[in-house]
Amino acid sequence: MSNGTMTDDLHASATATVGGPLPRLSLAIVVGLIGLGAGAVVPTYFASDFVLRLGSEGLLLGLLALSVAFLMNQAGLVALGAASIYGGAGYLFAIGMSDWGLTPTAALCVAFLILLAYSAVLGALIVRTNPLAFMMLTLAAGEMISHAVLLEGLRDYTGGADGLVVRTTGTVLGIDAVRFADPAQFWSLAWVVTVLVGLTFWAIARSRLGAVLRAIRENEERMRFSGFNTFLPRLIGYVLVNIVAAIAGFLHVLNAGFVSPESLGLFVSTNTLVAALIGGISGSLGPILGGLIFSFAQDEFGARGLTQLLTGVAIVVFIVVFPRGVVGGLSGLSKRLGSWREAS
């Protein structure tokens, strides 16, 4: 296949998915405004502080799940090291303020740049590998970081197994730090960030970058043979999802005021993957919904004292009943009902 033909295919793939950029853009704006409005109403009229805290945890897990699902769906790559970026953001932010004497905004910016450089270097080393090797390398990198914070020689910086207390005062990026600790205000902030990230990934999936990533996922060798650079799109995709994981990590530490080795652990990464599979990986809504479902289900199971047992049963049931996730299953059911109505 020639380069011109491949380019035409990619363009057709992108535009066919979009169905016309202007109508889709208008729909995205309407959906975004409705989503933002709903987020402002919920904390005021419907939910208690406890529910808001639980919901905020679900949104942060949903952001992580969204980052993992995007890479799985677009590039066919499973990243098991999301927690290393999520927890690493909190550690770098805390160390920046306590040991480097930076203001909260400066500490956040420095931490972000360090994570960006780390993601670019690590990504440059691992995105060339096959999907299985990529998954194992992200797992290995994450485990190395989670164990590094426990080293006795770094205890003065990381707090060892005790973690670090993060006392944020003043403002962070112009936002009063007190707002991050208030359940209602933090929910609104987390909701806005989640909607914006979801719409951004939705747009990227329908852009040329998304079409190229999917073409590489389907047949990398053919893309390379046709003259396409298969390395750079994958690297960009990997860095993008790590940026989202870092944003979730910053929000978590600003809200909780604490960061510990558990935030870097494999447990967080596997929960992220499970949340993505429960909600569905084919769009932006599924992973976010999966994060919320997982968060509330964990609380309910914990109240019964059977967290691990009921979580395992629920995962099996969800994946068997909804192999494409809750959103994918409901979408398929809606289409079948529509077909039956037309046929009757």
Side-chain angles (χ1 to χ4, degrees):
M1 182 178 290
S2 67
N3 287 358
T5 304
M6 181 66 77
T7 304
D8 291 343
D9 285 351
L10 291 173
H11 178 73
S13 173
T15 53
T17 305
V18 170
L22 289 179
R24 291 285 182 177
L25 179 60
S26 300
L27 177 62
I29 292 173
V30 171
V31 171
L33 290 175
I34 292 173
L36 290 171
V41 169
V42 167
T44 306
Y45 297 103
F46 297 111
S48 65
D49 284 354
F50 174 76
V51 172
L52 288 172
R53 287 194 181 93
L54 209 54
S56 296
E57 291 176 8
L59 287 181
L60 298 186
L61 182 60
L63 277 176
L64 268 182
L66 183 56
S67 68
V68 171
F70 178 83
L71 206 59
M72 288 173 64
N73 190 43
Q74 299 296 316
L77 299 173
V78 180
L80 287 179
S84 63
I85 304 298
Y86 176 76
Y91 270 103
L92 287 172
F93 177 71
I95 292 171
M97 287 195 301
S98 60
D99 292 293
W100 301 338
L102 301 175
T103 65
T105 298
L108 188 144
C109 293
V110 169
F112 178 79
L113 291 175
I114 292 174
L115 288 170
L116 193 62
Y118 167 78
S119 299
V121 172
L122 179 62
L125 294 174
I126 66 175
V127 296
R128 297 177 187 275
T129 60
N130 62 58
L132 179 59
F134 175 86
M135 181 173 67
M136 298 311 297
L137 288 170
T138 55
L139 173 63
E143 286 299 289
M144 283 192 295
I145 293 176
S146 67
H147 284 81
V149 301
L150 296 173
L151 293 175
E152 193 60 32
L154 296 176
R155 184 178 178 81
D156 290 342
Y157 297 97
T158 64
D162 298 329
L164 292 172
V165 175
V166 184
R167 295 186 176 87
T168 308
T169 58
T171 61
V172 183
L173 297 175
I175 302 173
D176 195 329
V178 176
R179 295 186 61 185
F180 293 102
D182 180 80
Q185 296 193 52
F186 182 76
W187 161 268
S188 299
L189 182 63
W191 182 269
V192 170
V193 172
T194 302
V195 171
L196 292 178
V197 170
L199 289 175
T200 300
F201 273 167
W202 178 88
I204 292 174
R206 284 152 180 79
S207 69
R208 179 176 172 78
L209 174 61
V212 171
L213 283 172
R214 291 192 296 277
I216 296 172
R217 178 196 65 192
E218 294 300 323
N219 196 327
E220 182 182 1
E221 187 176 354
R222 190 180 75 172
M223 289 291 286
R224 195 183 304 118
F225 178 77
S226 301
F228 283 86
N229 184 336
T230 60
F231 167 73
L232 191 58
R234 276 184 165 180
L235 178 60
I236 293 173
Y238 180 73
V239 172
L240 279 175
V241 300
N242 280 342
I243 288 174
V244 174
I247 291 172
F250 287 133
L251 288 173
H252 168 72
V253 75
L254 287 168
N255 176 244
F258 181 76
V259 61
S260 68
E262 284 75 18
S263 63
L264 291 160
L266 182 59
F267 190 65
V268 175
S269 293
T270 53
N271 286 352
T272 300
L273 187 58
V274 169
L277 293 175
I278 288 175
I281 66 169
S282 60
S284 294
L285 179 59
I288 296 169
L289 182 61
L292 289 168
I293 292 173
F294 189 88
S295 178
F296 281 95
Q298 286 280 285
D299 177 71
E300 182 64 26
F301 298 160
R304 299 173 186 275
L306 299 169
T307 304
Q308 299 303 324
L309 175 61
L310 293 179
T311 298
V313 172
I315 291 172
V316 172
V317 171
F318 262 105
I319 292 180
V320 170
V321 177
F322 301 107
R324 293 166 50 211
V326 174
V327 172
L330 294 177
S331 176
L333 179 61
S334 175
K335 289 178 181 177
R336 284 196 294 274
L337 290 175
S339 300
W340 291 339
R341 288 196 196 97
E342 291 177 1
S344 60

